[in-house]
Amino acid sequence: MWKYDGWESDFKLGLVSPHADIGPEAEAQAMSSGTRITVHGARVEFSPMHPGGTIDEKIAHDPVRQFIAPEMIDKAVESLSSSPLDAIGLAFTSSSFLVGAQRERDLLARLTALSHGVKLTTTGFAATAAIRELQLDRVAIMAPSWFDDDLCRAGEAYFRDQGINIVSATPSGPSGGPRHITPAATAAAVESLVATTNARAVFIAGNGQRAVGAIDYLERTLKITVLTANQVLLWASLSETNLRPRISGYGRLFAQNPSGVET
């Protein structure tokens, strides 16, 4: 008699993202279609983004650091985690890259003390766990066009410091900002990147860089593994659940047996 209203969901995922970025929620909802997973967002001010979801041609590094400063992100996490959530993901790749894995662990420890027991992970740690789960080698990072070369080099160091073989890290994603990215443009950019780097896997970084719509096509066509920022964040958040296998069409990552994700 009663219709499903979303409250009695199997998993409630919180996402913390820049104030003008709806990409992480949109992609998480798309991947979760057909499941009883609900997605709930919190916003943190990020000055390189502007009304209408536009973004600076290249983002400065100081606002990235400010995003994860205690006076910014702590209140958002504490407030969001007051809801009856199962997990929270920090949908912000650039801070992972900029501060490095050890300082990111410190960030998670600080936020965990405020999260009312709700599990937390970052995009960087989720990507690292996914790469290890799939035992990937020769990984190319396709950062969004709004990352500068220094931020890409920081991303390369982020993974290499954790023993991952990175063959390339470049701002080679489609240009024009989040609103102008399409699956076709993403696929073309990845095809070009693989042709020039001979990569066996690609991590499409940047939670605002929409990419999940191209995963299935690229894996079938290029015979490589494709990971994306919002894909790995959803995958990691669903660790220790039986919900991962219910997600299909968004990469071989979800076909793997669940395992614990180190944070």
Side-chain angles (χ1 to χ4, degrees):
M1 179 172 65
W2 311 121
K3 298 293 186 181
Y4 170 63
D5 62 5
W7 180 264
E8 296 296 338
S9 59
D10 294 328
F11 195 89
K12 294 180 174 66
L13 173 63
L15 293 175
V16 179
S17 60
H19 70 283
D21 186 6
I22 63 172
E25 291 138 306
E27 292 205 320
Q29 288 170 350
M31 290 183 283
S32 302
S33 177
T35 74
R36 287 163 55 115
I37 296 171
T38 54
V39 182
H40 313 272
R43 294 286 187 268
V44 174
E45 181 71 22
F46 184 53
S47 61
M49 293 202 77
H50 311 288
T54 61
I55 194 167
D56 291 347
E57 184 176 354
K58 295 293 181 183
I59 60 173
H61 293 191
D62 283 346
V64 174
R65 295 187 183 93
Q66 185 64 20
F67 185 92
I68 56 172
E71 63 270 23
M72 299 293 285
I73 201 169
D74 289 35
K75 183 176 181 180
V77 168
E78 185 172 18
S79 176
L80 182 60
S81 64
S82 297
S83 306
L85 300 175
D86 296 292
I88 292 175
L90 304 186
F92 199 61
T93 309
S94 50
S95 63
S96 295
F97 285 5
L98 192 60
V99 305
Q102 183 52 58
R103 289 177 62 191
E104 193 169 44
R105 289 184 187 279
D106 296 338
L107 169 67
L108 274 178
R110 187 184 87 213
L111 295 177
T112 296
L114 303 171
S115 70
H116 304 97
V118 178
K119 169 189 169 182
L120 286 163
T121 195
T122 68
T123 302
F125 283 153
T128 301
I131 290 168
R132 289 174 173 165
E133 175 83 4
L134 298 178
Q135 300 179 357
L136 300 179
D137 189 35
R138 294 192 56 79
V139 180
I141 299 171
M142 191 178 87
S145 63
W146 53 87
F147 280 27
D148 63 17
D149 291 336
D150 288 341
L151 191 52
C152 289
R153 283 191 287 269
E156 183 176 6
Y158 178 92
F159 290 112
R160 284 187 171 172
D161 288 348
Q162 299 181 85
I164 293 170
N165 180 16
I166 301 297
V167 298
S168 171
T170 56
S172 47
S175 61
R179 293 186 62 181
H180 299 282
I181 296 173
T182 65
T186 298
V190 171
E191 288 168 343
S192 176
L193 181 62
V194 170
T196 57
T197 62
N198 215 16
R200 297 175 187 162
V202 174
F203 172 49
I204 304 176
N207 299 78
Q209 181 170 220
R210 292 166 38 231
V212 301
I215 296 173
D216 184 60
Y217 167 84
L218 287 166
E219 289 194 337
R220 287 187 290 104
T221 303
L222 300 183
K223 309 303 181 186
I224 62 170
T225 299
V226 176
L227 303 177
T228 84
N230 295 317
Q231 174 214 39
V232 298
L233 197 56
L234 176 62
W235 173 84
S237 297
L238 293 175
S239 67
E240 302 172 4
T241 76
N242 65 353
L243 294 172
R244 283 175 174 171
R246 301 185 196 178
I247 297 174
S248 62
Y250 292 97
R252 63 181 289 248
L253 177 63
F254 285 107
Q256 302 302 301
N257 292 327
S259 67
V261 176
E262 180 185 1
T263 60

